Amino acid sequence: MSLHNFELTREFITLDSLLKLLTIAPSGGIAKMMVACGEVEVNGEVELRKTRKMRVGDVVRVHGEEIRVSAGS
């Protein structure tokens, strides 16, 4: 499993934007499809909301990748 640490510099980032920004999904449309198909877990539970607001402390798992959202500067 690959581990990514994403430093959040604002209040939140949407789940689909996070997947696209880290190139786990090649496009926003693919990111939304991955979420809609139940391929993404947030904090240990399958997440079906494409635009869920990801905040500091959230952990995302998808396709052998883990993303930890931390506080940035």
Side-chain angles (χ1 to χ4, degrees):
M1 179 176 285
S2 297
L3 179 62
H4 305 272
N5 185 45
F6 180 77
E7 292 186 3
L8 191 62
T9 58
R10 51 188 177 218
E11 184 182 351
F12 66 87
I13 185 170
T14 61
L15 179 55
D16 61 322
S17 295
L18 178 65
L19 296 175
K20 180 182 168 189
L21 187 65
L22 293 176
T23 64
I24 293 171
S27 69
I30 298 293
K32 289 177 181 180
M33 187 171 50
M34 291 166 61
V35 175
C37 289
E39 299 174 15
V40 181
E41 287 184 6
V42 175
N43 301 327
E45 296 184 11
V46 173
E47 181 58 65
L48 299 174
R49 294 174 288 174
K50 302 169 198 101
T51 58
R52 174 177 174 160
K53 294 176 180 176
M54 306 306 302
R55 301 178 192 276
V56 172
D58 285 334
V59 177
V60 179
R61 288 191 180 95
V62 58
H63 297 181
E65 308 275 344
E66 181 174 292
I67 307 159
R68 295 180 179 266
V69 181
S70 62
S73 50

